[in-house]
Amino acid sequence: MHELGVVFHIIDDVTAVGRENNLTGISSVTLQLGKVSTVIPEYLTDCWNWAVKKTDLLKEAELIIEPIEAISFCEDCKTSFDTIENGKTCPNCGSTHTFLQQGNEFMIKEISGS
Amino acid sequence: MDAVKVIEIKKSVYESNDREADRLREELRSKGIFLLNLMSSPGSGKTTTLKATINRMKYTHNIGVMEADIDSDVDAIAIAKETGVKSIQLHTGGMCHLDAGMTRQGLDELIDGKVDFAILENVGNLVCPAEFDTGATKNAMILSVPEGDDKPLKYPLMFSICDVVLINKIDVMPYFDFDLEKCKENIKLRNPQAKVIPICAKTGEGVDEFVKWLEEEIRINKG
């Protein structure tokens, strides 16, 4: 829902890294995005393509998004399950004493440039 | 042409903002300034609650208010007119939340050496403001009765980061299927530490309890 705001944060962080490494152009930025991170990849890409045009270092930069599956863990029967399919309820024993193990990540993984 | 380099970063998108927020919070504490970040969905009564709260506290504290909105200055004008305290409007330029950097910019304008209790009225939204730490000393949110008692389940992150949840518009509870006890249970499920205070900003019911909570937190922040 706040894709534009996070795009500005990513551009700031990546620009700082690019400058530290004396890059003259960044060709791609790879993100790792959990499937329940509340960020929609398509919107993120749209905001990215608009915002990078206004920069020097990133104007040619492609955004690569690596999805991370959402997996929850049941504290009662000690099994893992797909969060998107089952929500908070364990499909194995029906318990709601569950927590998200992975899937809310939003990481800048790496950049490439020259 | 130089060879293409791959540089590993491996850091959360939110990390820079979290660090900036921690710096701001510490700076404010060292200056004896308390910053309250107030969040809610649009129309839950943030501005009315603030007016009622400020009018009870303005004689004992130097209060300043930052109103964050995508556009317009209606809230800043309403606060200034009806409470007399310093009030500025921040425009987010289309963004759905404030981050720590924007909060710092607002505080630079608001704090003129006198203000020791600053209030940030965040953009009306239950999703995005929860993702971005503003650097506030304490986070508060308002859930109003017409929104429903299931909101803590639907917007878990917002409820999990709040120190206090005000349940507003309790005067209209008889007209809505709102179960106060169920709502408190739903909040505890997400955030066992959160203090829950039922209020009616319009009539003033419960506002004194919120003021008492604020006074205690301000005292703790001053150390």
Side-chain angles (χ1 to χ4, degrees):
Chain A
M1 200 165 164
H2 44 261
E3 283 74 6
L4 185 59
V6 295
V7 159
F8 289 138
H9 278 278
I10 297 167
I11 289 177
D12 286 348
D13 280 353
V14 168
T15 301
V17 174
R19 294 249 156 84
E20 279 167 27
N21 289 277
N22 299 317
L23 299 184
T24 52
I26 293 172
S27 52
S28 71
V29 173
T30 306
L31 304 179
Q32 291 176 312
L33 186 62
K35 288 194 170 173
V36 293
S37 65
T38 77
V39 173
I40 318 269
E42 292 79 8
Y43 295 171
L44 194 66
T45 306
D46 284 347
C47 292
W48 178 264
N49 292 338
W50 175 81
V52 289
K53 287 201 185 78
K54 299 174 188 303
T55 70
D56 283 335
L57 209 53
L58 283 142
K59 56 177 180 278
E60 305 290 332
E62 183 197 358
L63 187 69
I64 300 167
I65 300 172
E66 293 180 356
I68 296 177
E69 296 299 321
I71 298 170
S72 291
F73 185 78
C74 174
E75 290 182 271
D76 287 341
C77 73
K78 316 287 180 202
T79 54
S80 295
F81 60 89
D82 185 313
T83 313
I84 292 177
E85 263 175 39
N86 302 288
K88 291 190 191 315
T89 309
C90 172
N92 188 39
C93 74
S95 166
T96 53
H97 295 135
T98 62
F99 64 88
L100 189 71
Q101 273 182 311
Q102 62 166 67
N104 62 352
E105 297 81 357
F106 191 9
M107 307 280 291
I108 307 174
K109 185 187 174 194
E110 63 188 24
I111 63 172
S112 62
S114 54
Chain B
M1 197 182 149
D2 293 341
V4 172
K5 277 195 260 187
V6 175
I7 301 163
E8 190 174 87
I9 299 181
K10 280 273 179 201
K11 90 175 202 186
S12 166
V13 168
Y14 303 110
E15 196 183 302
S16 305
N17 184 64
D18 289 347
R19 270 209 305 270
E20 172 63 16
D22 285 340
R23 264 200 303 273
L24 180 60
R25 193 161 21 249
E26 183 49 33
E27 270 174 49
L28 291 172
R29 199 194 54 77
S30 68
K31 291 177 188 161
I33 298 166
F34 184 89
L35 172 63
L36 179 75
N37 175 27
L38 182 62
M39 296 171 286
S40 81
S41 48
S44 63
K46 283 193 295 299
T47 310
T48 308
T49 303
L50 278 186
K51 284 188 284 192
T53 307
I54 292 167
N55 281 331
R56 284 166 170 75
M57 298 180 80
K58 65 184 177 188
Y59 301 107
T60 46
H61 299 275
N62 286 310
I63 302 175
V65 180
M66 297 184 287
E67 294 288 341
D69 277 301
I70 287 171
D71 203 351
S72 101
D73 53 5
V74 288
D75 283 350
I77 291 170
I79 291 281
K81 199 171 144 194
E82 293 175 47
T83 66
V85 305
K86 185 172 180 181
S87 166
I88 63 170
Q89 185 77 46
L90 309 178
H91 283 160
T92 61
M95 297 240 273
C96 47
H97 63 275
L98 280 192
D99 58 28
M102 292 149 91
T103 305
R104 182 188 286 280
Q105 280 177 23
L107 285 169
D108 284 345
E109 192 186 327
L110 184 74
I111 294 178
D112 46 12
K114 286 202 291 276
V115 171
D116 60 6
F117 176 19
I119 301 168
L120 169 63
E121 186 180 333
N122 215 313
V123 181
N125 179 336
L126 289 184
V127 184
C128 317
E131 300 266 18
F132 290 88
D133 189 343
T134 58
T137 320
K138 289 286 161 183
N139 291 309
M141 75 156 295
I142 301 175
L143 172 67
S144 65
V145 163
E147 293 169 66
D149 52 36
D150 59 351
K151 290 301 165 289
L153 303 178
K154 290 188 170 184
Y155 301 91
L157 185 64
M158 174 58 77
F159 286 86
S160 69
I161 62 147
C162 278
D163 301 290
V164 63
V165 178
L166 305 176
I167 300 178
N168 191 22
K169 308 189 188 180
I170 51 169
D171 55 329
V172 297
M173 205 139 26
Y175 304 99
F176 290 88
D177 294 326
F178 189 97
D179 184 332
L180 185 60
E181 289 314 309
K182 181 97 198 144
C183 186
K184 284 181 180 173
E185 266 175 46
N186 289 340
I187 295 168
K188 293 284 171 214
L189 206 62
R190 296 284 155 250
N191 183 352
Q193 275 84 43
K195 180 158 177 74
V196 180
I197 308 175
I199 65 162
C200 174
K202 205 174 155 192
T203 63
E205 191 181 348
V207 177
D208 286 339
E209 198 187 339
F210 178 45
V211 169
K212 202 174 131 200
W213 179 85
L214 282 169
E215 293 285 6
E216 178 62 12
E217 294 298 334
I218 290 170
R219 195 187 60 73
I220 293 168
N221 188 52
K222 281 195 172 145

